[in-house]
Amino acid sequence: MATTRAHRWLLVLPFVWQVGLVPVVNDVPYAPLHIPFPMVWQLLGVVFTSVVIAVVFRLDKRAGVTDEDDS
């Protein structure tokens, strides 16, 4: 049975968040709670990454992908 794994491309999004958008957010002067915005951005990136991994895990489970299929 062929399963699609195209949803795993969602795992690229945290990389884009953490690395690709740094030049964009690096010059933002906004500092919520006196925390520099790039630091807030990185902290939110941790939450975003967790959500993306959870979504991919759910989609893997729905597609019937198991640990044995990945090896």
Side-chain angles (χ1 to χ4, degrees), residues 10-35:
L10 290 172
L11 296 172
V12 172
L13 294 176
F15 176 77
V16 171
W17 180 292
Q18 296 286 339
V19 176
L21 293 177
V22 166
V24 176
V25 300
N26 202 24
D27 294 331
V28 175
Y30 179 63
L33 302 173
H34 303 287
I35 300 172

PDB file of all heavy atoms in Angstrom, residues 10-35:
ATOM      1  N   LEU A  10       5.930  20.028   5.476  1.00  0.00           N
ATOM      2  CA  LEU A  10       5.587  21.021   6.501  1.00  0.00           C
ATOM      3  C   LEU A  10       6.746  21.238   7.475  1.00  0.00           C
ATOM      4  O   LEU A  10       6.847  22.284   8.106  1.00  0.00           O
ATOM      5  CB  LEU A  10       4.343  20.582   7.275  1.00  0.00           C
ATOM      6  CG  LEU A  10       3.028  20.608   6.516  1.00  0.00           C
ATOM      7  CD1 LEU A  10       1.931  19.959   7.345  1.00  0.00           C
ATOM      8  CD2 LEU A  10       2.655  22.033   6.165  1.00  0.00           C
ATOM      9  N   LEU A  11       7.627  20.239   7.592  1.00  0.00           N
ATOM     10  CA  LEU A  11       8.758  20.347   8.502  1.00  0.00           C
ATOM     11  C   LEU A  11       9.788  21.385   8.040  1.00  0.00           C
ATOM     12  O   LEU A  11      10.689  21.735   8.803  1.00  0.00           O
ATOM     13  CB  LEU A  11       9.419  18.981   8.686  1.00  0.00           C
ATOM     14  CG  LEU A  11       8.526  17.928   9.345  1.00  0.00           C
ATOM     15  CD1 LEU A  11       9.192  16.565   9.304  1.00  0.00           C
ATOM     16  CD2 LEU A  11       8.208  18.321  10.776  1.00  0.00           C
ATOM     17  N   VAL A  12       9.635  21.883   6.831  1.00  0.00           N
ATOM     18  CA  VAL A  12      10.516  22.940   6.340  1.00  0.00           C
ATOM     19  C   VAL A  12      10.125  24.287   6.966  1.00  0.00           C
ATOM     20  O   VAL A  12      10.973  25.166   7.146  1.00  0.00           O
ATOM     21  CB  VAL A  12      10.461  23.008   4.799  1.00  0.00           C
ATOM     22  CG1 VAL A  12      11.206  24.209   4.266  1.00  0.00           C
ATOM     23  CG2 VAL A  12      11.002  21.732   4.200  1.00  0.00           C
ATOM     24  N   LEU A  13       8.860  24.428   7.332  1.00  0.00           N
ATOM     25  CA  LEU A  13       8.378  25.703   7.872  1.00  0.00           C
ATOM     26  C   LEU A  13       9.129  26.163   9.126  1.00  0.00           C
ATOM     27  O   LEU A  13       9.476  27.346   9.220  1.00  0.00           O
ATOM     28  CB  LEU A  13       6.870  25.619   8.132  1.00  0.00           C
ATOM     29  CG  LEU A  13       6.006  25.469   6.887  1.00  0.00           C
ATOM     30  CD1 LEU A  13       4.543  25.299   7.268  1.00  0.00           C
ATOM     31  CD2 LEU A  13       6.192  26.650   5.967  1.00  0.00           C
ATOM     32  N   PRO A  14       9.392  25.301  10.116  1.00  0.00           N
ATOM     33  CA  PRO A  14      10.174  25.780  11.269  1.00  0.00           C
ATOM     34  C   PRO A  14      11.570  26.256  10.884  1.00  0.00           C
ATOM     35  O   PRO A  14      12.082  27.211  11.463  1.00  0.00           O
ATOM     36  CB  PRO A  14      10.252  24.554  12.192  1.00  0.00           C
ATOM     37  CG  PRO A  14       9.075  23.748  11.831  1.00  0.00           C
ATOM     38  CD  PRO A  14       8.877  23.964  10.350  1.00  0.00           C
ATOM     39  N   PHE A  15      12.173  25.625   9.904  1.00  0.00           N
ATOM     40  CA  PHE A  15      13.484  26.075   9.444  1.00  0.00           C
ATOM     41  C   PHE A  15      13.392  27.476   8.854  1.00  0.00           C
ATOM     42  O   PHE A  15      14.227  28.348   9.146  1.00  0.00           O
ATOM     43  CB  PHE A  15      14.051  25.093   8.412  1.00  0.00           C
ATOM     44  CG  PHE A  15      15.359  25.533   7.832  1.00  0.00           C
ATOM     45  CD1 PHE A  15      16.532  25.397   8.547  1.00  0.00           C
ATOM     46  CD2 PHE A  15      15.408  26.112   6.580  1.00  0.00           C
ATOM     47  CE1 PHE A  15      17.733  25.818   8.015  1.00  0.00           C
ATOM     48  CE2 PHE A  15      16.600  26.541   6.040  1.00  0.00           C
ATOM     49  CZ  PHE A  15      17.769  26.391   6.767  1.00  0.00           C
ATOM     50  N   VAL A  16      12.368  27.683   8.041  1.00  0.00           N
ATOM     51  CA  VAL A  16      12.177  29.007   7.449  1.00  0.00           C
ATOM     52  C   VAL A  16      11.928  30.033   8.552  1.00  0.00           C
ATOM     53  O   VAL A  16      12.457  31.143   8.505  1.00  0.00           O
ATOM     54  CB  VAL A  16      11.012  28.982   6.434  1.00  0.00           C
ATOM     55  CG1 VAL A  16      10.666  30.384   5.970  1.00  0.00           C
ATOM     56  CG2 VAL A  16      11.371  28.098   5.253  1.00  0.00           C
ATOM     57  N   TRP A  17      11.126  29.651   9.552  1.00  0.00           N
ATOM     58  CA  TRP A  17      10.847  30.546  10.688  1.00  0.00           C
ATOM     59  C   TRP A  17      12.137  30.912  11.424  1.00  0.00           C
ATOM     60  O   TRP A  17      12.422  32.077  11.685  1.00  0.00           O
ATOM     61  CB  TRP A  17       9.877  29.864  11.641  1.00  0.00           C
ATOM     62  CG  TRP A  17       9.508  30.677  12.854  1.00  0.00           C
ATOM     63  CD1 TRP A  17      10.321  31.024  13.890  1.00  0.00           C
ATOM     64  CD2 TRP A  17       8.242  31.240  13.150  1.00  0.00           C
ATOM     65  NE1 TRP A  17       9.633  31.747  14.802  1.00  0.00           N
ATOM     66  CE2 TRP A  17       8.358  31.902  14.391  1.00  0.00           C
ATOM     67  CE3 TRP A  17       7.025  31.224  12.488  1.00  0.00           C
ATOM     68  CZ2 TRP A  17       7.282  32.550  14.971  1.00  0.00           C
ATOM     69  CZ3 TRP A  17       5.961  31.871  13.085  1.00  0.00           C
ATOM     70  CH2 TRP A  17       6.088  32.523  14.302  1.00  0.00           C
ATOM     71  N   GLN A  18      12.932  29.912  11.778  1.00  0.00           N
ATOM     72  CA  GLN A  18      14.086  30.124  12.632  1.00  0.00           C
ATOM     73  C   GLN A  18      15.288  30.711  11.896  1.00  0.00           C
ATOM     74  O   GLN A  18      16.072  31.434  12.493  1.00  0.00           O
ATOM     75  CB  GLN A  18      14.513  28.807  13.292  1.00  0.00           C
ATOM     76  CG  GLN A  18      13.488  28.237  14.229  1.00  0.00           C
ATOM     77  CD  GLN A  18      13.401  29.014  15.533  1.00  0.00           C
ATOM     78  OE1 GLN A  18      14.320  29.716  15.909  1.00  0.00           O
ATOM     79  NE2 GLN A  18      12.278  28.894  16.219  1.00  0.00           N
ATOM     80  N   VAL A  19      15.447  30.407  10.645  1.00  0.00           N
ATOM     81  CA  VAL A  19      16.647  30.842   9.929  1.00  0.00           C
ATOM     82  C   VAL A  19      16.313  31.817   8.799  1.00  0.00           C
ATOM     83  O   VAL A  19      16.938  32.865   8.669  1.00  0.00           O
ATOM     84  CB  VAL A  19      17.412  29.627   9.360  1.00  0.00           C
ATOM     85  CG1 VAL A  19      18.597  30.066   8.535  1.00  0.00           C
ATOM     86  CG2 VAL A  19      17.857  28.714  10.492  1.00  0.00           C
ATOM     87  N   GLY A  20      15.329  31.478   8.019  1.00  0.00           N
ATOM     88  CA  GLY A  20      15.022  32.269   6.828  1.00  0.00           C
ATOM     89  C   GLY A  20      14.484  33.653   7.101  1.00  0.00           C
ATOM     90  O   GLY A  20      14.732  34.591   6.340  1.00  0.00           O
ATOM     91  N   LEU A  21      13.744  33.813   8.188  1.00  0.00           N
ATOM     92  CA  LEU A  21      13.122  35.105   8.467  1.00  0.00           C
ATOM     93  C   LEU A  21      13.909  35.950   9.464  1.00  0.00           C
ATOM     94  O   LEU A  21      13.477  37.052   9.806  1.00  0.00           O
ATOM     95  CB  LEU A  21      11.690  34.898   8.972  1.00  0.00           C
ATOM     96  CG  LEU A  21      10.728  34.325   7.937  1.00  0.00           C
ATOM     97  CD1 LEU A  21       9.356  34.096   8.539  1.00  0.00           C
ATOM     98  CD2 LEU A  21      10.611  35.237   6.730  1.00  0.00           C
ATOM     99  N   VAL A  22      15.037  35.475   9.921  1.00  0.00           N
ATOM    100  CA  VAL A  22      15.845  36.246  10.874  1.00  0.00           C
ATOM    101  C   VAL A  22      16.249  37.603  10.299  1.00  0.00           C
ATOM    102  O   VAL A  22      16.151  38.614  11.009  1.00  0.00           O
ATOM    103  CB  VAL A  22      17.069  35.431  11.329  1.00  0.00           C
ATOM    104  CG1 VAL A  22      18.085  36.318  12.022  1.00  0.00           C
ATOM    105  CG2 VAL A  22      16.622  34.328  12.266  1.00  0.00           C
ATOM    106  N   PRO A  23      16.683  37.702   9.056  1.00  0.00           N
ATOM    107  CA  PRO A  23      17.025  39.035   8.545  1.00  0.00           C
ATOM    108  C   PRO A  23      15.843  40.002   8.552  1.00  0.00           C
ATOM    109  O   PRO A  23      16.026  41.202   8.669  1.00  0.00           O
ATOM    110  CB  PRO A  23      17.488  38.769   7.107  1.00  0.00           C
ATOM    111  CG  PRO A  23      17.899  37.353   7.106  1.00  0.00           C
ATOM    112  CD  PRO A  23      17.008  36.657   8.090  1.00  0.00           C
ATOM    113  N   VAL A  24      14.642  39.473   8.461  1.00  0.00           N
ATOM    114  CA  VAL A  24      13.448  40.328   8.450  1.00  0.00           C
ATOM    115  C   VAL A  24      13.143  40.831   9.860  1.00  0.00           C
ATOM    116  O   VAL A  24      12.854  42.010  10.060  1.00  0.00           O
ATOM    117  CB  VAL A  24      12.234  39.562   7.879  1.00  0.00           C
ATOM    118  CG1 VAL A  24      10.969  40.404   7.962  1.00  0.00           C
ATOM    119  CG2 VAL A  24      12.511  39.130   6.453  1.00  0.00           C
ATOM    120  N   VAL A  25      13.212  39.950  10.860  1.00  0.00           N
ATOM    121  CA  VAL A  25      12.811  40.326  12.218  1.00  0.00           C
ATOM    122  C   VAL A  25      13.954  40.941  13.015  1.00  0.00           C
ATOM    123  O   VAL A  25      13.729  41.470  14.101  1.00  0.00           O
ATOM    124  CB  VAL A  25      12.232  39.120  12.990  1.00  0.00           C
ATOM    125  CG1 VAL A  25      11.017  38.580  12.282  1.00  0.00           C
ATOM    126  CG2 VAL A  25      13.262  38.063  13.218  1.00  0.00           C
ATOM    127  N   ASN A  26      15.150  40.887  12.513  1.00  0.00           N
ATOM    128  CA  ASN A  26      16.307  41.356  13.269  1.00  0.00           C
ATOM    129  C   ASN A  26      16.289  42.862  13.511  1.00  0.00           C
ATOM    130  O   ASN A  26      16.819  43.332  14.512  1.00  0.00           O
ATOM    131  CB  ASN A  26      17.597  40.961  12.558  1.00  0.00           C
ATOM    132  CG  ASN A  26      18.762  40.928  13.508  1.00  0.00           C
ATOM    133  OD1 ASN A  26      18.580  40.753  14.700  1.00  0.00           O
ATOM    134  ND2 ASN A  26      19.959  41.079  12.967  1.00  0.00           N
ATOM    135  N   ASP A  27      15.663  43.614  12.636  1.00  0.00           N
ATOM    136  CA  ASP A  27      15.654  45.068  12.752  1.00  0.00           C
ATOM    137  C   ASP A  27      14.361  45.613  13.336  1.00  0.00           C
ATOM    138  O   ASP A  27      14.156  46.821  13.334  1.00  0.00           O
ATOM    139  CB  ASP A  27      15.903  45.700  11.381  1.00  0.00           C
ATOM    140  CG  ASP A  27      17.306  45.400  10.879  1.00  0.00           C
ATOM    141  OD1 ASP A  27      18.200  45.221  11.721  1.00  0.00           O
ATOM    142  OD2 ASP A  27      17.493  45.340   9.651  1.00  0.00           O
ATOM    143  N   VAL A  28      13.505  44.769  13.853  1.00  0.00           N
ATOM    144  CA  VAL A  28      12.242  45.233  14.432  1.00  0.00           C
ATOM    145  C   VAL A  28      12.532  45.838  15.807  1.00  0.00           C
ATOM    146  O   VAL A  28      13.073  45.154  16.682  1.00  0.00           O
ATOM    147  CB  VAL A  28      11.234  44.066  14.541  1.00  0.00           C
ATOM    148  CG1 VAL A  28       9.974  44.524  15.245  1.00  0.00           C
ATOM    149  CG2 VAL A  28      10.924  43.506  13.164  1.00  0.00           C
ATOM    150  N   PRO A  29      12.183  47.114  16.022  1.00  0.00           N
ATOM    151  CA  PRO A  29      12.506  47.747  17.299  1.00  0.00           C
ATOM    152  C   PRO A  29      11.532  47.405  18.428  1.00  0.00           C
ATOM    153  O   PRO A  29      11.783  47.723  19.579  1.00  0.00           O
ATOM    154  CB  PRO A  29      12.432  49.240  16.966  1.00  0.00           C
ATOM    155  CG  PRO A  29      11.475  49.322  15.843  1.00  0.00           C
ATOM    156  CD  PRO A  29      11.645  48.056  15.056  1.00  0.00           C
ATOM    157  N   TYR A  30      10.432  46.767  18.124  1.00  0.00           N
ATOM    158  CA  TYR A  30       9.417  46.421  19.132  1.00  0.00           C
ATOM    159  C   TYR A  30      10.017  45.471  20.167  1.00  0.00           C
ATOM    160  O   TYR A  30      10.654  44.478  19.815  1.00  0.00           O
ATOM    161  CB  TYR A  30       8.227  45.775  18.424  1.00  0.00           C
ATOM    162  CG  TYR A  30       7.118  45.340  19.324  1.00  0.00           C
ATOM    163  CD1 TYR A  30       6.400  46.261  20.081  1.00  0.00           C
ATOM    164  CD2 TYR A  30       6.771  44.000  19.424  1.00  0.00           C
ATOM    165  CE1 TYR A  30       5.374  45.867  20.908  1.00  0.00           C
ATOM    166  CE2 TYR A  30       5.751  43.585  20.251  1.00  0.00           C
ATOM    167  CZ  TYR A  30       5.056  44.516  20.986  1.00  0.00           C
ATOM    168  OH  TYR A  30       4.040  44.117  21.824  1.00  0.00           O
ATOM    169  N   ALA A  31       9.831  45.777  21.463  1.00  0.00           N
ATOM    170  CA  ALA A  31      10.398  44.955  22.540  1.00  0.00           C
ATOM    171  C   ALA A  31       9.335  44.696  23.603  1.00  0.00           C
ATOM    172  O   ALA A  31       9.252  45.409  24.604  1.00  0.00           O
ATOM    173  CB  ALA A  31      11.599  45.638  23.142  1.00  0.00           C
ATOM    174  N   PRO A  32       8.517  43.686  23.402  1.00  0.00           N
ATOM    175  CA  PRO A  32       7.482  43.400  24.402  1.00  0.00           C
ATOM    176  C   PRO A  32       8.107  42.920  25.716  1.00  0.00           C
ATOM    177  O   PRO A  32       9.017  42.084  25.702  1.00  0.00           O
ATOM    178  CB  PRO A  32       6.648  42.299  23.740  1.00  0.00           C
ATOM    179  CG  PRO A  32       7.548  41.682  22.737  1.00  0.00           C
ATOM    180  CD  PRO A  32       8.495  42.756  22.298  1.00  0.00           C
ATOM    181  N   LEU A  33       7.663  43.490  26.822  1.00  0.00           N
ATOM    182  CA  LEU A  33       8.176  43.141  28.158  1.00  0.00           C
ATOM    183  C   LEU A  33       9.690  43.366  28.252  1.00  0.00           C
ATOM    184  O   LEU A  33      10.388  42.635  28.948  1.00  0.00           O
ATOM    185  CB  LEU A  33       7.826  41.696  28.516  1.00  0.00           C
ATOM    186  CG  LEU A  33       6.342  41.342  28.521  1.00  0.00           C
ATOM    187  CD1 LEU A  33       6.140  39.856  28.717  1.00  0.00           C
ATOM    188  CD2 LEU A  33       5.599  42.139  29.574  1.00  0.00           C
ATOM    189  N   HIS A  34      10.190  44.329  27.487  1.00  0.00           N
ATOM    190  CA  HIS A  34      11.618  44.676  27.453  1.00  0.00           C
ATOM    191  C   HIS A  34      12.481  43.517  26.941  1.00  0.00           C
ATOM    192  O   HIS A  34      13.670  43.432  27.259  1.00  0.00           O
ATOM    193  CB  HIS A  34      12.117  45.140  28.816  1.00  0.00           C
ATOM    194  CG  HIS A  34      11.354  46.316  29.345  1.00  0.00           C
ATOM    195  ND1 HIS A  34      11.498  47.571  28.822  1.00  0.00           N
ATOM    196  CD2 HIS A  34      10.413  46.419  30.308  1.00  0.00           C
ATOM    197  CE1 HIS A  34      10.703  48.410  29.464  1.00  0.00           C
ATOM    198  NE2 HIS A  34      10.017  47.738  30.370  1.00  0.00           N
ATOM    199  N   ILE A  35      11.865  42.649  26.194  1.00  0.00           N
ATOM    200  CA  ILE A  35      12.602  41.538  25.575  1.00  0.00           C
ATOM    201  C   ILE A  35      12.795  41.905  24.107  1.00  0.00           C
ATOM    202  O   ILE A  35      11.822  42.252  23.430  1.00  0.00           O
ATOM    203  CB  ILE A  35      11.822  40.212  25.690  1.00  0.00           C
ATOM    204  CG1 ILE A  35      11.584  39.871  27.162  1.00  0.00           C
ATOM    205  CG2 ILE A  35      12.571  39.090  25.001  1.00  0.00           C
ATOM    206  CD1 ILE A  35      10.669  38.694  27.368  1.00  0.00           C
TER     207      ILE A  35
END
